[in-house]
Amino acid sequence: MDINTIGKNAKAASRLTAAMETKQKNEILTVCGEALINNADAIIEANKADYEKAKANGMSKHMLDRLMLNKDRIEAMADGLFQIAKLPDPVGEYVSMNTLPNGLIVGQKRVPMGVIGIIYEARPNVTSDAFGLCLKAGSAVILKGGSDAINSNKAVVDILRQAIENMGINPDIVTLIEDTSRETTTALMRLNEYVDLLIPRGGAGLISAVVKNSTVPVIETGTGNCHIYVDDTAKIQMALDILINAKTQRIGVCNAAESLLVSEKIAPEFLPLAAKALKEKGVEIRGCVKTAEICKGFEIIPATDKDYATEFLDLIISVKVVKDVNEAIDHIAKYSTGHSEAIVTESYENAQKFLAQVDSAAVYVNASTRFTDGNEFGFGAEIGISTQKLHARGPMGLQALTTTKFVIYGNGQVRP
């Protein structure tokens, strides 16, 4: 099926999803979740083909882990749909309602986007997550996964579409573009006639390409060069716990810490302990000259500007000794991708300065950056983490997948 036909069909289907009652959307999500569980063997068989090919092509271990599906992970995908069904429906919610002096009642309410396109890489669980969130938010979705997971994505979407069709509903509420070529990806980016919003999920290269080439409105997500700054008043053990959790609890995710900044006043005491703890976890340290001087007993690779700007997604961290909180803020402003940053401090003044001046989607005081996540923030599943400022910022839940419109009630008013 060509891209224009896919867009046209999705646009028609979006009028159906926009009109669906919450109960019907929840029924679809539940039936689709059960279908994934009942057809797990078929999904696993398709996934094996993707996994073996990716392994033969030299895909990294952490990316292979993200690609691999088993029964537990498929049950988690299904549970994700069940959980979305339990979330409050944002569609139809009134954001505001005011009565003007002329008697007009002006309300603003949440409405569906229409058709949402998702471009993503080797994470087949995104396929079901994106479908579920878009449906609950009242939109149809066009999915464009990478070639690494094409068999897995196709199996999942085929099962979803069949379950939807068996309910007597137009299956075009979810469509997978099976052509994984760059030309088709570019065509999707320019499908303004049918697609209302485009969300890329993946590495920096993918996100940059979509932002630069798309004529469809884009929400930029994901790239996370996240920092931990250890202030001179920090509690040593707290700082160590936060650092190790943020860097090593899970390395291949966008909210993992990639850079450590340490106040020069606390560095002689803190850095040797940090280096020891990081090395015990297998982390390679790329540090400044002062870091190397303080940590003489450890292998410290000289850090470059490129290291400070890199989202490693690996057991690697860049380290720099800074004068104070002001220099830390300046460093973050230069190298951060605007995702998540944390300060470890006992100083109220420095904490407030950090919160006010660090311009990222999530800014922490005395906590790990690993909490930047829709579930962890308490509003359920997310489609991604926005690092831009327009429309949505930070973890994007159901509300971020809607837009608003004004509704006005009158009793014959005309403008004088």
Side-chain angles (χ1 to χ4, degrees):
M1 190 183 301
D2 71 90
I3 189 71
N4 281 288
T5 302
I6 289 173
K8 183 178 181 180
N9 291 346
K11 195 68 172 179
S14 72
R15 291 194 288 272
L16 300 176
T17 55
M20 285 181 179
E21 298 289 337
T22 302
K23 181 180 179 181
Q24 184 179 21
K25 289 188 282 190
N26 292 344
E27 286 174 353
I28 294 170
L29 291 167
T30 301
V31 168
C32 285
E34 291 169 349
L36 292 179
I37 293 172
N38 294 336
N39 292 278
D41 290 340
I43 298 172
I44 291 170
E45 190 64 28
N47 180 250
K48 282 180 181 177
D50 290 330
Y51 188 90
E52 293 303 323
K53 182 179 179 182
K55 187 176 181 181
N57 289 338
M59 181 179 281
S60 66
K61 287 184 179 180
H62 77 268
M63 289 300 292
L64 281 171
D65 179 64
R66 296 172 87 169
L67 173 62
M68 189 269 291
L69 294 177
N70 54 31
K71 287 200 172 181
D72 286 343
R73 291 187 175 186
I74 292 169
E75 286 181 3
M77 289 165 64
D79 188 59
L81 295 182
F82 300 150
Q83 292 302 318
I84 293 170
K86 295 176 182 178
L87 294 174
D89 189 343
V91 177
E93 173 192 354
Y94 275 86
V95 178
S96 63
M97 182 72 77
N98 297 295
T99 301
L100 303 183
N102 63 5
L104 286 177
I105 300 173
V106 180
Q108 187 180 21
K109 73 173 185 176
R110 297 193 185 280
V111 295
M113 282 285 181
V115 176
I116 299 175
I118 313 287
I119 301 177
Y120 57 108
E121 295 175 323
R123 292 184 63 184
N125 63 297
V126 173
T127 305
S128 58
D129 288 347
F131 155 70
L133 287 163
C134 290
L135 174 66
K136 189 64 180 272
S139 289
V141 63
I142 298 175
L143 301 168
K144 177 68 172 64
S147 58
D148 291 330
I150 184 59
N151 295 297
S152 308
N153 293 335
K154 188 175 184 303
V156 170
V157 172
D158 284 349
I159 290 164
L160 295 176
R161 285 176 62 91
Q162 188 60 59
I164 293 165
E165 193 168 15
N166 290 344
M167 297 178 73
I169 298 167
N170 183 353
D172 290 331
I173 62 176
V174 54
T175 307
L176 175 71
I177 299 174
E178 297 181 16
D179 180 351
T180 60
S181 68
R182 290 185 179 181
E183 292 77 13
T184 302
T185 304
T186 301
L188 175 60
M189 294 180 201
R190 297 172 182 174
L191 207 61
N192 301 64
E193 185 178 356
Y194 303 116
V195 180
D196 299 285
L197 176 67
L198 205 54
I199 303 174
R201 290 193 58 174
L206 169 69
I207 294 169
S208 176
V210 175
V211 170
K212 289 178 180 178
N213 294 297
S214 180
T215 57
V216 175
V218 175
I219 292 182
E220 188 173 350
T221 67
T223 307
N225 186 17
C226 305
H227 297 73
I228 304 291
Y229 167 59
V230 179
D231 191 36
D232 57 356
T233 65
K235 291 181 178 179
I236 297 291
Q237 191 57 52
M238 178 192 291
L240 288 171
D241 290 343
I242 289 172
L243 170 64
I244 297 305
N245 178 265
K247 178 66 239 179
T248 69
Q249 194 259 349
R250 193 176 175 192
I251 60 172
V253 289
C254 58
N255 56 18
E258 304 289 16
S259 190
L260 169 65
L261 306 175
V262 184
S263 166
E264 62 182 10
K265 292 181 181 179
I266 201 172
E269 180 182 4
F270 176 76
L271 270 179
L273 297 173
K276 181 176 184 293
L278 289 167
K279 290 293 185 181
E280 287 174 352
K281 292 289 187 177
V283 179
E284 176 184 297
I285 301 173
R286 301 181 184 180
C288 65
V289 173
K290 288 184 180 179
T291 300
E293 290 174 351
I294 293 169
C295 301
K296 289 181 180 178
F298 301 92
E299 181 184 1
I300 307 296
I301 298 171
T304 65
D305 279 350
K306 183 178 179 182
D307 290 324
Y308 290 126
T310 297
E311 180 190 30
F312 296 110
L313 299 175
D314 203 347
L315 289 171
I316 304 170
I317 192 168
S318 63
V319 182
K320 185 175 183 181
V321 177
V322 295
K323 182 181 179 181
D324 53 21
V325 66
N326 296 313
E327 188 176 338
I329 292 169
D330 289 343
H331 181 97
I332 291 170
K334 182 176 180 180
Y335 294 106
S336 172
T337 55
H339 194 294
S340 301
E341 327 295 347
I343 181 174
V344 186
T345 186
E346 293 300 300
S347 165
Y348 176 81
E349 180 182 351
N350 287 351
Q352 294 307 306
K353 178 178 288 187
F354 194 86
L355 289 174
Q357 296 185 22
V358 171
D359 190 18
S360 292
V363 186
Y364 294 82
V365 175
N366 295 334
S368 169
T369 58
R370 285 285 290 118
F371 286 103
T372 307
D373 173 87
N375 274 310
E376 294 294 337
F377 280 8
F379 54 80
E382 65 172 49
I383 199 72
I385 297 170
S386 171
T387 54
Q388 65 181 40
K389 299 182 182 180
L390 294 179
H391 175 67
R393 196 179 194 193
M396 295 170 56
L398 289 171
Q399 287 190 352
L401 292 178
T402 63
T403 183
T404 61
K405 71 178 178 184
F406 286 95
V407 293
I408 303 95
Y409 294 91
N411 55 6
Q413 287 90 336
V414 295
R415 185 169 177 171

